[in-house]
Amino acid sequence: MMQRMEPALLRELAEMLRAGGIEDAELEAKWICEDMPDAEAARETARRRAKHEPLQYLLGAWEFYGLRIEVGQGVLIPRADTETLVEAALDRLKQTASPRIMDLCTGSGCIALALKSQMPDADVTGIEKSAEAMKFAEKNRSALGLDITLVPGDVLQAETAAAFTGLDCIVSNPPYLTADDMAHLQQEVTYEPASALDGGADGLHFYREITRLWRDALKPGGLLAFEIGCTQGADAAEILRQNDFEQIAVLRDLNGNERVVLGIHR
Ligand code: GLN
């Protein structure tokens, strides 16, 4: 971390970022300055950021629910929107002692770790298919000292789901972008793993499969809560309905967009 922020360096970095079309050039220049050990490293970071590499990868970490989550190429960057899913699960599990929680497609582990940080007596497991992403989840678990279980596995395989029963809650931020979204990604997002973004032609593939395959891993009265894209509320709610969930609700994020669908297993 640089001891002193040189105004001239700050201006130089901001100018590089602005020239690359980075919107919040001053703010990002400041973050880069704060984070990098010296001026040369800061310049190199700004050069790459000006080409729209994600700032989060360049800094190597990002904050999620008050936790420092390490990220890099190969893992989805935690989004503030996803805190809506964490809040929803925390709220619905308030009355449950030592809940057993499963986070499907855990990625960096941000959701599982946030839940564990707020509910120390919860038994939290994250499943992830990508070995690269799993390395970040493991690093985050040990850096934060939070005792969650991490299991490598493909949540779309019936055998993976069949190994779990009696869960109080399943949370998931699965890939949910449509084929059309995938064809028009913001430049930064193209650096992120497609396997964490691509939800099939209509974006709903993981909702259909997870709901069907994992329903019976929940105990009666157990909660299923998904993050959704802002146009997917009605469709995702319908998938839960078709699978016999009740008390289905669609919740909005702080921007007012539909962001979470949840329901209770009968
Ligand atoms: N929220 C991400 C985006 O819009 C998508 C994450 C996901 O597919 N789960 O880029």
Side-chain angles (χ1 to χ4, degrees):
M1 190 180 288
M2 263 188 275
Q3 295 304 315
R4 230 157 51 78
M5 257 196 253
E6 302 288 345
L9 179 61
L10 258 180
R11 271 198 302 276
E12 180 190 338
L13 299 186
E15 189 42 51
M16 287 165 75
L17 297 177
R18 230 186 331 270
I22 301 296
E23 245 175 69
D24 291 322
E26 278 81 15
L27 188 59
E28 292 203 16
K30 184 168 155 292
W31 286 338
I32 290 170
C33 259
E34 279 171 357
D35 232 63
M36 291 296 137
D38 56 49
E40 221 14 76
R43 284 194 189 94
E44 173 58 16
T45 302
R47 252 192 296 281
R48 293 172 64 176
R49 179 64 190 123
K51 293 185 180 138
H52 292 257
E53 277 190 53
L55 179 69
Q56 298 90 332
Y57 285 170
L58 294 170
L59 300 181
W62 201 242
E63 192 190 294
F64 180 79
Y65 218 84
L67 304 177
R68 182 179 186 274
I69 301 292
E70 290 190 40
V71 293
Q73 215 142 21
V75 72
L76 189 79
I77 297 163
R79 270 86 164 148
D81 294 341
T82 303
E83 296 182 349
T84 309
L85 177 62
V86 172
E87 294 279 0
L90 289 174
D91 179 61
R92 297 303 202 275
L93 291 170
K94 274 198 302 242
Q95 315 293 350
T96 311
S98 310
R100 287 189 60 212
I101 303 171
M102 204 83 200
D103 175 22
L104 308 183
C105 313
T106 197
S108 65
C110 63
I111 297 169
L113 291 163
L115 291 173
K116 182 68 183 177
S117 75
Q118 299 299 309
M119 291 186 290
D121 64 347
D123 172 352
V124 183
T125 300
I127 298 195
E128 176 54 50
K129 177 176 74 168
S130 152
E132 273 179 295
M134 190 56 122
K135 280 190 216 141
F136 284 98
E138 285 167 349
K139 245 201 262 181
N140 287 320
R141 173 178 60 181
S142 61
L144 294 166
L146 290 165
D147 182 19
I148 62 168
T149 305
L150 293 168
V151 180
D154 181 352
V155 304
L156 300 184
Q157 297 292 319
E159 308 83 75
T160 313
F164 298 93
T165 53
L167 299 173
D168 294 290
C169 173
I170 293 173
V171 288
S172 183
N173 173 18
Y176 58 67
L177 299 189
T178 65
D180 188 53
D181 295 332
M182 291 300 292
H184 300 96
L185 290 178
Q186 189 195 339
Q187 208 179 335
E188 279 80 354
V189 183
T190 64
Y191 286 87
E192 295 186 88
S195 62
L197 299 167
D198 183 353
D202 67 356
L204 301 170
H205 181 64
F206 283 73
Y207 302 126
R208 289 194 193 92
E209 293 304 292
I210 289 174
T211 307
R212 179 174 73 81
L213 292 170
W214 286 84
R215 183 181 55 182
D216 294 325
L218 286 168
K219 60 169 70 155
L223 172 73
L224 173 62
F226 285 118
E227 175 166 321
I228 55 167
C230 57
T231 62
Q232 292 173 324
D235 288 336
E238 182 54 27
I239 291 169
L240 264 61
R241 201 165 293 122
Q242 285 166 2
N243 283 278
D244 279 338
F245 281 80
E246 52 189 22
Q247 299 173 52
I248 297 165
V250 177
L251 312 180
R252 291 177 190 272
D253 62 26
L254 293 175
N255 294 315
N257 293 317
E258 292 186 350
R259 190 56 63 198
V260 167
V261 63
L262 52 76
I264 299 294
H265 182 40
R266 263 186 232 272

